[in-house]
Amino acid sequence: MLANVEKGLPRPALTGGRPWQRQVAALTGFLAVSWLVSLLGSLPIRMNAGWYALADKAPWTPPGWIFGSVWLVLYAAMAVAAWLVWRQRLFPRRAAFKVYGVLLLLNLAWPLMFFGLYPLVGAAALWLALLLIGAHAVVATLTVLLFGPISRTAGLLMLPYVSWLVFSASLNLYAAVNN
């Protein structure tokens, strides 16, 4: 099995011999897809946040502005991690990118379930969202495990995302129990 060949930060002579213009375009593409998922995922929150403002929230819930800031950074880190995996052509990456794609879909599904369905089905939506965020955390962990051998930096960049999902799951659980 090939060892992780990545050493430190990306250099001008990039892995796989791809021209720097293609590298920049790919990184820009990964960032664009990531932030598009973020934008689309935020729509159910913006459209249905009224009930959440009145909901019983966990005492450890951070102020609302923290969520947008953290997610912006996490989505950027996810995009950079995917780009680092993409640039390592010496490793099979198909499985890693399939799991990453599922991760992006789960990112879209959770706010729709938690914020979008609550007004329609009540607390059942919060419990379903809890199951979904649990699956989301498992897929994020699997992404770390698949990215890590390809690019250690990519695997490490995904760890804060997993941590934030676990934290978010605690908020989701509190909301499901208390609303």
Side-chain angles (χ1 to χ4, degrees), residues 74-86:
L74 291 175
Y75 275 110
M78 289 170 53
V80 171
W83 174 71
L84 288 171
V85 168
W86 171 82

Side-chain angles (χ1 to χ4, degrees), residues 2 9 13 27 51-53 77 91 109 115 120 126 146 154 156:
L2 293 172
L9 297 173
L27 178 57
W51 73 264
Y52 186 71
F91 296 88
F115 289 96
L120 300 173
L126 303 180
L146 290 171
L156 291 172

